[in-house]
PDB file of all heavy atoms in Angstrom:
ATOM      1  N   PRO E   5       0.832  -1.207   0.000  1.00 94.00           N
ATOM      2  CA  PRO E   5       0.000   0.000   0.000  1.00 94.00           C
ATOM      3  C   PRO E   5       0.868   1.259   0.000  1.00 94.00           C
ATOM      4  O   PRO E   5       1.997   1.246   0.486  1.00 94.00           O
ATOM      5  CB  PRO E   5      -0.802  -0.089   1.297  1.00 94.00           C
ATOM      6  CG  PRO E   5      -0.454  -1.373   1.938  1.00 94.00           C
ATOM      7  CD  PRO E   5       0.700  -1.981   1.217  1.00 94.00           C
ATOM      8  N   PHE E   6       0.337   2.317  -0.563  1.00 94.00           N
ATOM      9  CA  PHE E   6       1.113   3.556  -0.599  1.00 94.00           C
ATOM     10  C   PHE E   6       1.338   4.062   0.832  1.00 94.00           C
ATOM     11  O   PHE E   6       0.404   4.156   1.626  1.00 94.00           O
ATOM     12  CB  PHE E   6       0.400   4.633  -1.423  1.00 94.00           C
ATOM     13  CG  PHE E   6       1.272   5.820  -1.663  1.00 94.00           C
ATOM     14  CD1 PHE E   6       2.266   5.778  -2.618  1.00 94.00           C
ATOM     15  CD2 PHE E   6       1.126   6.974  -0.903  1.00 94.00           C
ATOM     16  CE1 PHE E   6       3.107   6.868  -2.830  1.00 94.00           C
ATOM     17  CE2 PHE E   6       1.956   8.067  -1.107  1.00 94.00           C
ATOM     18  CZ  PHE E   6       2.940   8.008  -2.075  1.00 94.00           C
ATOM     19  N   PRO E   7       2.575   4.421   1.180  1.00 95.00           N
ATOM     20  CA  PRO E   7       2.901   4.872   2.543  1.00 95.00           C
ATOM     21  C   PRO E   7       2.534   6.347   2.767  1.00 95.00           C
ATOM     22  O   PRO E   7       3.386   7.231   2.733  1.00 95.00           O
ATOM     23  CB  PRO E   7       4.403   4.627   2.636  1.00 95.00           C
ATOM     24  CG  PRO E   7       4.882   4.772   1.228  1.00 95.00           C
ATOM     25  CD  PRO E   7       3.768   4.280   0.354  1.00 95.00           C
ATOM     26  N   TRP E   8       1.273   6.616   3.010  1.00 95.00           N
ATOM     27  CA  TRP E   8       0.782   7.992   3.133  1.00 95.00           C
ATOM     28  C   TRP E   8       1.437   8.761   4.275  1.00 95.00           C
ATOM     29  O   TRP E   8       1.753   9.944   4.124  1.00 95.00           O
ATOM     30  CB  TRP E   8      -0.740   8.007   3.301  1.00 95.00           C
ATOM     31  CG  TRP E   8      -1.438   7.579   2.063  1.00 95.00           C
ATOM     32  CD1 TRP E   8      -2.060   6.390   1.827  1.00 95.00           C
ATOM     33  CD2 TRP E   8      -1.568   8.329   0.842  1.00 95.00           C
ATOM     34  NE1 TRP E   8      -2.563   6.366   0.545  1.00 95.00           N
ATOM     35  CE2 TRP E   8      -2.279   7.533  -0.074  1.00 95.00           C
ATOM     36  CE3 TRP E   8      -1.134   9.599   0.443  1.00 95.00           C
ATOM     37  CZ2 TRP E   8      -2.582   7.965  -1.365  1.00 95.00           C
ATOM     38  CZ3 TRP E   8      -1.443  10.021  -0.840  1.00 95.00           C
ATOM     39  CH2 TRP E   8      -2.158   9.221  -1.726  1.00 95.00           C
ATOM     40  N   LYS E   9       1.670   8.109   5.411  1.00 95.00           N
ATOM     41  CA  LYS E   9       2.305   8.807   6.544  1.00 95.00           C
ATOM     42  C   LYS E   9       3.711   9.281   6.174  1.00 95.00           C
ATOM     43  O   LYS E   9       4.089  10.409   6.459  1.00 95.00           O
ATOM     44  CB  LYS E   9       2.360   7.901   7.777  1.00 95.00           C
ATOM     45  CG  LYS E   9       1.025   7.666   8.415  1.00 95.00           C
ATOM     46  CD  LYS E   9       1.160   6.761   9.629  1.00 95.00           C
ATOM     47  CE  LYS E   9      -0.198   6.404  10.180  1.00 95.00           C
ATOM     48  NZ  LYS E   9      -0.114   5.464  11.292  1.00 95.00           N
ATOM     49  N   GLU E  10       4.480   8.398   5.534  1.00 94.00           N
ATOM     50  CA  GLU E  10       5.832   8.751   5.126  1.00 94.00           C
ATOM     51  C   GLU E  10       5.807   9.843   4.053  1.00 94.00           C
ATOM     52  O   GLU E  10       6.648  10.734   4.042  1.00 94.00           O
ATOM     53  CB  GLU E  10       6.573   7.515   4.601  1.00 94.00           C
ATOM     54  CG  GLU E  10       6.888   6.487   5.664  1.00 94.00           C
ATOM     55  CD  GLU E  10       5.742   5.518   5.942  1.00 94.00           C
ATOM     56  OE1 GLU E  10       4.610   5.739   5.457  1.00 94.00           O
ATOM     57  OE2 GLU E  10       5.975   4.537   6.668  1.00 94.00           O
ATOM     58  N   TRP E  11       4.833   9.768   3.158  1.00 95.00           N
ATOM     59  CA  TRP E  11       4.658  10.751   2.096  1.00 95.00           C
ATOM     60  C   TRP E  11       4.448  12.137   2.697  1.00 95.00           C
ATOM     61  O   TRP E  11       5.083  13.120   2.295  1.00 95.00           O
ATOM     62  CB  TRP E  11       3.488  10.336   1.216  1.00 95.00           C
ATOM     63  CG  TRP E  11       3.115  11.254   0.106  1.00 95.00           C
ATOM     64  CD1 TRP E  11       1.961  11.968   0.002  1.00 95.00           C
ATOM     65  CD2 TRP E  11       3.856  11.546  -1.077  1.00 95.00           C
ATOM     66  NE1 TRP E  11       1.947  12.683  -1.178  1.00 95.00           N
ATOM     67  CE2 TRP E  11       3.101  12.433  -1.852  1.00 95.00           C
ATOM     68  CE3 TRP E  11       5.096  11.134  -1.558  1.00 95.00           C
ATOM     69  CZ2 TRP E  11       3.532  12.926  -3.084  1.00 95.00           C
ATOM     70  CZ3 TRP E  11       5.523  11.620  -2.779  1.00 95.00           C
ATOM     71  CH2 TRP E  11       4.750  12.505  -3.523  1.00 95.00           C
ATOM     72  N   ASP E  12       3.558  12.214   3.681  1.00 95.00           N
ATOM     73  CA  ASP E  12       3.309  13.491   4.354  1.00 95.00           C
ATOM     74  C   ASP E  12       4.535  13.956   5.140  1.00 95.00           C
ATOM     75  O   ASP E  12       4.890  15.133   5.115  1.00 95.00           O
ATOM     76  CB  ASP E  12       2.096  13.384   5.288  1.00 95.00           C
ATOM     77  CG  ASP E  12       0.787  13.223   4.530  1.00 95.00           C
ATOM     78  OD1 ASP E  12       0.723  13.605   3.340  1.00 95.00           O
ATOM     79  OD2 ASP E  12      -0.178  12.708   5.128  1.00 95.00           O
ATOM     80  N   ALA E  13       5.191  12.997   5.829  1.00 95.00           N
ATOM     81  CA  ALA E  13       6.344  13.343   6.665  1.00 95.00           C
ATOM     82  C   ALA E  13       7.519  13.870   5.843  1.00 95.00           C
ATOM     83  O   ALA E  13       8.278  14.714   6.325  1.00 95.00           O
ATOM     84  CB  ALA E  13       6.779  12.127   7.482  1.00 95.00           C
ATOM     85  N   CYS E  14       7.662  13.399   4.601  1.00 93.00           N
ATOM     86  CA  CYS E  14       8.789  13.858   3.778  1.00 93.00           C
ATOM     87  C   CYS E  14       8.399  15.036   2.891  1.00 93.00           C
ATOM     88  O   CYS E  14       9.120  15.388   1.964  1.00 93.00           O
ATOM     89  CB  CYS E  14       9.384  12.720   2.964  1.00 93.00           C
ATOM     90  SG  CYS E  14       8.374  12.140   1.625  1.00 93.00           S
ATOM     91  N   GLY E  15       7.261  15.640   3.187  1.00 95.00           N
ATOM     92  CA  GLY E  15       6.859  16.821   2.446  1.00 95.00           C
ATOM     93  C   GLY E  15       6.486  16.545   0.999  1.00 95.00           C
ATOM     94  O   GLY E  15       6.677  17.392   0.139  1.00 95.00           O
ATOM     95  N   GLU E  16       5.968  15.336   0.746  1.00 95.00           N
ATOM     96  CA  GLU E  16       5.556  14.925  -0.601  1.00 95.00           C
ATOM     97  C   GLU E  16       6.702  15.003  -1.608  1.00 95.00           C
ATOM     98  O   GLU E  16       6.519  15.338  -2.770  1.00 95.00           O
ATOM     99  CB  GLU E  16       4.338  15.710  -1.082  1.00 95.00           C
ATOM    100  CG  GLU E  16       3.116  15.514  -0.220  1.00 95.00           C
ATOM    101  CD  GLU E  16       1.869  16.206  -0.738  1.00 95.00           C
ATOM    102  OE1 GLU E  16       1.909  16.800  -1.832  1.00 95.00           O
ATOM    103  OE2 GLU E  16       0.854  16.148  -0.047  1.00 95.00           O
ATOM    104  N   ASN E  17       7.906  14.675  -1.126  1.00 96.00           N
ATOM    105  CA  ASN E  17       9.095  14.694  -1.971  1.00 96.00           C
ATOM    106  C   ASN E  17       9.476  13.256  -2.324  1.00 96.00           C
ATOM    107  O   ASN E  17      10.010  12.526  -1.484  1.00 96.00           O
ATOM    108  CB  ASN E  17      10.252  15.384  -1.250  1.00 96.00           C
ATOM    109  CG  ASN E  17      11.486  15.488  -2.103  1.00 96.00           C
ATOM    110  OD1 ASN E  17      11.575  14.918  -3.180  1.00 96.00           O
ATOM    111  ND2 ASN E  17      12.472  16.224  -1.611  1.00 96.00           N
ATOM    112  N   PRO E  18       9.224  12.825  -3.562  1.00 95.00           N
ATOM    113  CA  PRO E  18       9.522  11.431  -3.925  1.00 95.00           C
ATOM    114  C   PRO E  18      11.011  11.111  -3.921  1.00 95.00           C
ATOM    115  O   PRO E  18      11.391   9.942  -3.808  1.00 95.00           O
ATOM    116  CB  PRO E  18       8.939  11.298  -5.330  1.00 95.00           C
ATOM    117  CG  PRO E  18       8.942  12.681  -5.873  1.00 95.00           C
ATOM    118  CD  PRO E  18       8.704  13.581  -4.687  1.00 95.00           C
ATOM    119  N   ASP E  19      11.868  12.110  -4.002  1.00 95.00           N
ATOM    120  CA  ASP E  19      13.306  11.867  -3.980  1.00 95.00           C
ATOM    121  C   ASP E  19      13.775  11.347  -2.628  1.00 95.00           C
ATOM    122  O   ASP E  19      14.861  10.775  -2.524  1.00 95.00           O
ATOM    123  CB  ASP E  19      14.079  13.133  -4.361  1.00 95.00           C
ATOM    124  CG  ASP E  19      13.800  13.551  -5.798  1.00 95.00           C
ATOM    125  OD1 ASP E  19      13.564  12.659  -6.646  1.00 95.00           O
ATOM    126  OD2 ASP E  19      13.786  14.759  -6.074  1.00 95.00           O
ATOM    127  N   LEU E  20      12.959  11.523  -1.592  1.00 94.00           N
ATOM    128  CA  LEU E  20      13.312  11.023  -0.268  1.00 94.00           C
ATOM    129  C   LEU E  20      12.897   9.566  -0.073  1.00 94.00           C
ATOM    130  O   LEU E  20      13.257   8.947   0.924  1.00 94.00           O
ATOM    131  CB  LEU E  20      12.689  11.904   0.821  1.00 94.00           C
ATOM    132  CG  LEU E  20      13.183  13.349   0.834  1.00 94.00           C
ATOM    133  CD1 LEU E  20      12.477  14.148   1.920  1.00 94.00           C
ATOM    134  CD2 LEU E  20      14.687  13.412   1.019  1.00 94.00           C
ATOM    135  N   PHE E  21      12.133   9.015  -1.016  1.00 92.00           N
ATOM    136  CA  PHE E  21      11.781   7.594  -0.983  1.00 92.00           C
ATOM    137  C   PHE E  21      12.971   6.806  -1.531  1.00 92.00           C
ATOM    138  O   PHE E  21      13.594   7.212  -2.513  1.00 92.00           O
ATOM    139  CB  PHE E  21      10.559   7.310  -1.859  1.00 92.00           C
ATOM    140  CG  PHE E  21       9.240   7.579  -1.199  1.00 92.00           C
ATOM    141  CD1 PHE E  21       9.022   8.703  -0.422  1.00 92.00           C
ATOM    142  CD2 PHE E  21       8.185   6.707  -1.373  1.00 92.00           C
ATOM    143  CE1 PHE E  21       7.808   8.955   0.162  1.00 92.00           C
ATOM    144  CE2 PHE E  21       6.959   6.943  -0.793  1.00 92.00           C
ATOM    145  CZ  PHE E  21       6.771   8.064  -0.014  1.00 92.00           C
ATOM    146  N   LEU E  22      13.277   5.694  -0.908  1.00 91.00           N
ATOM    147  CA  LEU E  22      14.373   4.857  -1.386  1.00 91.00           C
ATOM    148  C   LEU E  22      13.981   4.179  -2.689  1.00 91.00           C
ATOM    149  O   LEU E  22      12.836   3.770  -2.864  1.00 91.00           O
ATOM    150  CB  LEU E  22      14.717   3.790  -0.349  1.00 91.00           C
ATOM    151  CG  LEU E  22      15.292   4.289   0.974  1.00 91.00           C
ATOM    152  CD1 LEU E  22      15.492   3.122   1.925  1.00 91.00           C
ATOM    153  CD2 LEU E  22      16.607   5.006   0.735  1.00 91.00           C
ATOM    154  N   ASP E  23      14.944   4.054  -3.592  1.00 92.00           N
ATOM    155  CA  ASP E  23      14.713   3.299  -4.817  1.00 92.00           C
ATOM    156  C   ASP E  23      14.703   1.823  -4.452  1.00 92.00           C
ATOM    157  O   ASP E  23      15.528   1.361  -3.669  1.00 92.00           O
ATOM    158  CB  ASP E  23      15.813   3.564  -5.839  1.00 92.00           C
ATOM    159  CG  ASP E  23      15.724   4.958  -6.430  1.00 92.00           C
ATOM    160  OD1 ASP E  23      14.591   5.453  -6.600  1.00 92.00           O
ATOM    161  OD2 ASP E  23      16.772   5.547  -6.723  1.00 92.00           O
ATOM    162  N   TRP E  24      13.762   1.102  -4.998  1.00 92.00           N
ATOM    163  CA  TRP E  24      13.647  -0.328  -4.728  1.00 92.00           C
ATOM    164  C   TRP E  24      13.884  -1.096  -6.016  1.00 92.00           C
ATOM    165  O   TRP E  24      13.358  -0.736  -7.071  1.00 92.00           O
ATOM    166  CB  TRP E  24      12.258  -0.641  -4.167  1.00 92.00           C
ATOM    167  CG  TRP E  24      12.055  -2.098  -3.951  1.00 92.00           C
ATOM    168  CD1 TRP E  24      12.426  -2.820  -2.865  1.00 92.00           C
ATOM    169  CD2 TRP E  24      11.460  -3.012  -4.863  1.00 92.00           C
ATOM    170  NE1 TRP E  24      12.104  -4.136  -3.049  1.00 92.00           N
ATOM    171  CE2 TRP E  24      11.503  -4.275  -4.280  1.00 92.00           C
ATOM    172  CE3 TRP E  24      10.900  -2.883  -6.130  1.00 92.00           C
ATOM    173  CZ2 TRP E  24      11.012  -5.407  -4.896  1.00 92.00           C
ATOM    174  CZ3 TRP E  24      10.406  -4.007  -6.754  1.00 92.00           C
ATOM    175  CH2 TRP E  24      10.466  -5.261  -6.129  1.00 92.00           C
ATOM    176  N   GLU E  25      14.678  -2.142  -5.949  1.00 94.00           N
ATOM    177  CA  GLU E  25      14.953  -2.995  -7.098  1.00 94.00           C
ATOM    178  C   GLU E  25      14.583  -4.428  -6.741  1.00 94.00           C
ATOM    179  O   GLU E  25      14.922  -4.910  -5.654  1.00 94.00           O
ATOM    180  CB  GLU E  25      16.446  -2.936  -7.466  1.00 94.00           C
ATOM    181  CG  GLU E  25      16.885  -1.615  -8.039  1.00 94.00           C
ATOM    182  CD  GLU E  25      16.287  -1.340  -9.407  1.00 94.00           C
ATOM    183  OE1 GLU E  25      16.103  -2.286 -10.195  1.00 94.00           O
ATOM    184  OE2 GLU E  25      15.996  -0.161  -9.682  1.00 94.00           O
ATOM    185  N   PRO E  26      13.917  -5.139  -7.648  1.00 95.00           N
ATOM    186  CA  PRO E  26      13.571  -6.539  -7.362  1.00 95.00           C
ATOM    187  C   PRO E  26      14.813  -7.426  -7.350  1.00 95.00           C
ATOM    188  O   PRO E  26      15.757  -7.199  -8.098  1.00 95.00           O
ATOM    189  CB  PRO E  26      12.642  -6.916  -8.517  1.00 95.00           C
ATOM    190  CG  PRO E  26      12.986  -5.983  -9.621  1.00 95.00           C
ATOM    191  CD  PRO E  26      13.447  -4.708  -8.955  1.00 95.00           C
ATOM    192  N   ASN E  27      14.767  -8.437  -6.480  1.00 96.00           N
ATOM    193  CA  ASN E  27      15.864  -9.400  -6.440  1.00 96.00           C
ATOM    194  C   ASN E  27      15.666 -10.435  -7.557  1.00 96.00           C
ATOM    195  O   ASN E  27      14.674 -10.398  -8.297  1.00 96.00           O
ATOM    196  CB  ASN E  27      15.972 -10.052  -5.056  1.00 96.00           C
ATOM    197  CG  ASN E  27      14.718 -10.808  -4.658  1.00 96.00           C
ATOM    198  OD1 ASN E  27      13.899 -11.194  -5.498  1.00 96.00           O
ATOM    199  ND2 ASN E  27      14.538 -11.015  -3.366  1.00 96.00           N
ATOM    200  N   ASP E  28      16.598 -11.377  -7.699  1.00 95.00           N
ATOM    201  CA  ASP E  28      16.530 -12.364  -8.780  1.00 95.00           C
ATOM    202  C   ASP E  28      15.293 -13.254  -8.667  1.00 95.00           C
ATOM    203  O   ASP E  28      14.711 -13.639  -9.681  1.00 95.00           O
ATOM    204  CB  ASP E  28      17.792 -13.226  -8.812  1.00 95.00           C
ATOM    205  CG  ASP E  28      18.998 -12.461  -9.314  1.00 95.00           C
ATOM    206  OD1 ASP E  28      18.816 -11.414  -9.985  1.00 95.00           O
ATOM    207  OD2 ASP E  28      20.137 -12.892  -9.036  1.00 95.00           O
ATOM    208  N   ARG E  29      14.896 -13.581  -7.448  1.00 94.00           N
ATOM    209  CA  ARG E  29      13.706 -14.430  -7.263  1.00 94.00           C
ATOM    210  C   ARG E  29      12.467 -13.717  -7.771  1.00 94.00           C
ATOM    211  O   ARG E  29      11.639 -14.315  -8.462  1.00 94.00           O
ATOM    212  CB  ARG E  29      13.564 -14.809  -5.790  1.00 94.00           C
ATOM    213  CG  ARG E  29      12.367 -15.684  -5.523  1.00 94.00           C
ATOM    214  CD  ARG E  29      12.351 -16.267  -4.144  1.00 94.00           C
ATOM    215  NE  ARG E  29      12.648 -15.291  -3.122  1.00 94.00           N
ATOM    216  CZ  ARG E  29      12.725 -15.580  -1.828  1.00 94.00           C
ATOM    217  NH1 ARG E  29      12.527 -16.815  -1.418  1.00 94.00           N
ATOM    218  NH2 ARG E  29      12.991 -14.652  -0.948  1.00 94.00           N
TER     219      ARG E  29
END
């Protein structure tokens, strides 16, 4: 689910969200 609390806490700045990459599995 979208992390609304974190979104608000970081001032709606997507650059503060960590980049996620899928593993091989």
Side-chain angles (χ1 to χ4, degrees):
F6 190 77
W8 291 106
K9 289 180 186 176
E10 291 85 350
W11 177 247
D12 291 338
C14 71
E16 299 184 4
N17 183 351
D19 295 328
L20 297 178
F21 277 42
L22 294 176
D23 289 326
W24 176 84
E25 291 292 325
N27 60 21
D28 288 340
R29 180 169 46 182

